[in-house]
Amino acid sequence: MRTGMQGNGRRGPKISEVIARELANHIVEAGLVAGSVLPTEREMIESFDVGRSTIREALRLLETRNVITLRPGPGGGPVVRRPRPEDLGEALTLILQFEAASLDDVMEARRALEPTIARLATSRITEADLDLMDQTVRLTLQAPNPEVFQEQNRIFHSTLARAARSVVLQVFLESLGCVADGIAGGVTYSARRYVAAARAHERIIEALRARDGDRAEQSMREHLDEAVSYWHKKHKDLVTRPVVWRR
């Protein structure tokens, strides 16, 4: 049997991959925060008893996974970064591009997921979460323009995802949000549409404050259905076009 091959015919992990996983485990288990400095390349060579090229390959792998940042120059080296949902969103976009998935396909997944998150949040959301969501509505109504709406809409939905206290659902939803961002994808709205979206957010917040899971789920579903209906009416060409990976 060839070295590096498993019995089922699949390639076993390279030494650099094993080291990358050990380093990732160390970061998590040691509770290292973003910005923490890892051992130098020389120290890792001695610790793992491998060559420089293997350590560099392991570090590059961690960098591509957004676990670390490699600072150049004297005093530089590997620094903890911590992966974020938008990192998964970028990788997901690339996969979906190869699968020829459209913005419509991504929104369908979001429509299946976010109403459930709204229901979960009714029993778990805090007053601080609700106050922050209220603030996004106020700011949107005060200045219904693309820049304000895009930021406040992001905060509203990410706060709701976090309030459900389900880390897996939160990561998936925020990743989908990075892929299915209508404004970034070219969808345009009038001031009237921004106000309508803010009012829909208000209804969702009211259901959450009342701890009414049925109403929160239905309000979110209606909000997303309305958005999709608008996209199809005004931007049919955009929503049916395959998503594209853009950095």
Side-chain angles (χ1 to χ4, degrees), residues 11-143:
R11 180 183 67 82
K14 297 168 62 176
I15 295 175
S16 58
E17 293 171 344
V18 173
I19 292 173
R21 291 168 188 171
E22 288 189 21
L23 288 170
N25 289 339
H26 168 69
I27 291 169
V28 174
E29 291 169 1
L32 301 183
V33 299
S36 299
V37 178
L38 293 177
T40 65
E41 185 179 284
R42 182 177 297 277
E43 290 171 329
M44 289 188 188
I45 290 172
E46 295 176 357
S47 176
F48 290 105
D49 192 24
V50 295
R52 175 171 293 162
S53 62
T54 299
I55 290 297
R56 289 184 173 178
E57 187 175 350
L59 294 176
R60 283 195 295 270
L61 179 59
L62 290 176
E63 186 179 36
T64 63
R65 298 292 191 273
N66 299 297
V67 174
I68 65 170
T69 298
L70 295 175
R71 290 181 179 170
V79 177
V80 175
R81 177 183 179 274
R82 189 179 182 91
R84 298 186 293 264
E86 50 264 40
D87 299 325
L88 175 59
E90 185 172 314
L92 178 60
T93 302
L94 184 57
I95 294 170
L96 293 177
Q97 179 177 350
F98 274 78
E99 295 295 332
S102 67
L103 186 62
D104 212 15
D105 292 322
V106 178
M107 194 59 172
E108 182 179 53
R110 185 175 166 188
R111 289 158 72 194
L113 184 63
E114 197 162 13
T116 298
I117 286 176
R119 173 180 285 278
L120 282 175
T122 56
S123 61
R124 304 173 182 180
I125 198 165
T126 67
E127 286 301 318
D129 293 328
L130 289 165
D131 289 344
L132 179 56
M133 294 169 75
D134 273 333
Q135 179 177 289
T136 67
V137 172
R138 288 197 301 272
L139 292 174
T140 300
L141 293 176
Q142 288 171 7

Side-chain angles (χ1 to χ4, degrees), residues 32 158 161 174:
L32 301 183
S158 64
E174 292 192 20

Side-chain angles (χ1 to χ4, degrees), residues 103-117 173 176 180 217 220-229 231-232:
L103 186 62
D104 212 15
D105 292 322
V106 178
M107 194 59 172
E108 182 179 53
R110 185 175 166 188
R111 289 158 72 194
L113 184 63
E114 197 162 13
T116 298
I117 286 176
L173 181 62
L176 286 174
E217 181 177 357
M220 177 58 75
R221 181 169 288 109
E222 290 173 353
H223 173 44
L224 296 175
D225 286 348
E226 184 179 11
V228 170
S229 177
W231 289 7
H232 275 264

Side-chain angles (χ1 to χ4, degrees), residues 4-15:
M5 296 295 289
Q6 297 174 336
N8 61 5
R10 296 178 61 187
R11 180 183 67 82
K14 297 168 62 176
I15 295 175

